[in-house]
Amino acid sequence: MAGRPDEASGGGLEDSPIMRALTQDHARRRELEGRRFERPSDTRVLTIANQKGGVGKTSTTVNLAAALAQGGLSVLVIDVDPQGNASTALGIDHHSEVPSMYEVLVDSTPIADVVQDCPDIENLHCAPATIDLSGAEIELVAMVARENRLRNAIREYLEAREAEGLDRLDYVLVDCPPSLGLLTVNALVAAREVLIPIQCEYYALEGLSLLLKNIDLLRAHLNPELVVSTILLTMYDGRTRLASQVADDVREHFPEQTLATTIPRSVRISEAPSYGQTVLSYDPTSSGALAYRAAAFELSERPAP
Ligand code: ADP
Ligand code: MG
């Protein structure tokens, strides 16, 4: 870079305010490597929801979960998307014979019977989804307390762990399918908190109002305690004006909820799942891994609602 004529006067890109900010940011994020996160006083159950597909729900679920677990916390990911992308990304076997959330929701199998350990991250567990779950959406319709099945299963699991003298879980993160069917309703009834990932693009806010309306309905009828505690801006491309406009809009509307950390667009994040890994193990020093670690730290530092 040095010696380029356009850099002679201003001291060059290295010295520009934006570069200084980036370097500082990077240093701050790296500081979090190896840092222990504070345990919440009780298990926090968060559902990662957005009825749009491809906005970063699954990436956010698995990478936040991995970052929290690396911070020394005990974390369970519950995959209720029949696609099973979260299970794949965590390196969890989920072919159709594997006991999964289908059995939990439809046959009342205890969660303990389906949970698997994530192979490359300690304290990270996953209750996988298999393709069978796509049928559960219909089978659940005829069942008693069909909206409460996940909530009850999680409650029983936490109680059973306590009765057995096992460590208390710190975080339960539920990954949803991109629709507002009974699986997503179960996930929203089971949680105290909703975390909404928002892709920094034009229609982000428009889609959000529909989601918020549905969350209001759920709160009125099925889960009075539910709060949208956290919004995470994902796939942020700092080179586009659009991304920063969307980010500003979201922050203006949801100043309390929106995390200061944004997740950048990063090839590493999109590559990791095909290796059955989160970006935190696939490329721990990449910008995507650092950003998810910073977002997880922020989440852990905020008081639970
Ligand atoms: P959802 O679960 O909402 O459908 P995903 O997390 O599966 O969304 O993300 C959709 C696609 O975008 C996936 O291919 C994923 O790898 C990719 N992706 C997610 N987050 C990022 C990011 N920050 N940078 C680049 N690609 C991303
Ligand atoms: Mg997904």
Side-chain angles (χ1 to χ4, degrees):
M1 289 238 170
R4 282 212 344 233
D6 56 335
E7 286 172 5
S9 55
L13 188 61
E14 295 299 332
D15 253 358
S16 69
I18 189 157
M19 205 57 204
R20 274 200 302 275
L22 280 175
T23 313
Q24 221 171 41
D25 199 33
H26 195 73
R28 188 174 57 81
R29 285 174 175 179
R30 286 205 76 144
E31 266 172 31
L32 292 172
E33 239 170 307
R35 174 131 178 203
R36 312 277 302 173
F37 295 179
E38 186 113 14
R39 296 190 70 185
S41 58
D42 208 350
T43 304
R44 285 176 78 176
V45 183
L46 290 99
T47 282
I48 291 68
N50 192 324
Q51 79 282 10
K52 271 194 76 176
V55 296
K57 284 185 291 299
T58 300
S59 306
T60 294
T61 306
V62 300
N63 293 314
L64 282 181
L68 290 165
Q70 284 187 343
L73 304 178
S74 180
V75 185
L76 171 67
V77 169
I78 296 182
D79 190 355
V80 293
D81 183 350
Q83 302 273 328
N85 295 147
S87 312
T88 303
L90 294 171
I92 303 290
D93 187 11
H94 66 110
H95 66 265
S96 70
E97 262 89 81
V98 171
S100 73
M101 286 310 296
Y102 172 83
E103 283 78 6
V104 171
L105 293 172
V106 175
D107 302 333
S108 305
T109 298
I111 289 179
D113 294 359
V114 311
V115 165
Q116 297 182 44
D117 294 339
C118 177
D120 49 26
I121 297 176
E122 220 182 313
N123 296 324
L124 179 53
H125 315 278
C126 174
T130 58
I131 194 66
D132 295 347
L133 257 186
S134 54
E137 193 88 69
I138 293 159
E139 288 174 70
L140 281 171
V141 174
M143 299 187 99
V144 193
R146 58 190 180 185
E147 296 96 351
N148 292 309
R149 299 191 65 87
L150 181 59
R151 181 197 195 88
N152 295 339
I154 292 175
R155 201 196 50 231
E156 281 158 23
Y157 180 58
L158 298 179
E159 284 169 4
R161 286 183 66 101
E162 197 177 342
E164 282 171 43
L166 293 170
D167 237 14
R168 196 197 65 218
L169 287 179
D170 295 310
Y171 284 83
V172 176
L173 304 187
V174 186
D175 189 31
C176 287
S179 60
L180 276 163
L182 267 177
L183 289 170
T184 300
V185 167
N186 261 274
L188 290 170
V189 171
R192 177 77 205 282
E193 301 177 56
V194 189
L195 185 158
I196 306 178
I198 294 184
Q199 194 180 357
C200 294
E201 56 147 54
Y202 188 64
Y203 290 113
L205 274 176
E206 205 166 284
L208 195 59
S209 59
L210 176 64
L211 176 63
L212 294 175
K213 218 179 282 169
N214 283 307
I215 290 173
D216 284 343
L217 277 173
L218 263 151
R219 195 183 295 117
H221 297 289
L222 294 165
N223 185 4
E225 293 199 319
L226 189 66
V227 286
V228 176
S229 67
T230 315
I231 291 177
L232 179 61
L233 297 162
T234 64
M235 302 189 209
Y236 185 85
D237 182 347
R239 293 165 305 180
T240 71
R241 185 185 289 247
L242 183 61
S244 61
Q245 272 168 1
V246 172
D248 290 348
D249 268 6
V250 172
R251 286 189 196 289
E252 198 184 309
H253 281 83
F254 306 97
E256 302 290 314
Q257 293 89 342
T258 313
L259 295 182
T261 309
T262 54
I263 307 302
R265 232 181 213 295
S266 142
V267 180
R268 292 297 192 227
I269 291 176
S270 57
E271 284 171 352
S274 37
Y275 298 89
Q277 288 185 325
T278 69
V279 75
L280 284 109
S281 29
Y282 176 64
D283 190 352
T285 59
S286 63
S287 63
L290 298 175
Y292 269 117
R293 193 175 297 125
F297 181 67
E298 246 191 273
L299 179 70
S300 74
E301 288 284 284
R302 294 165 145 225

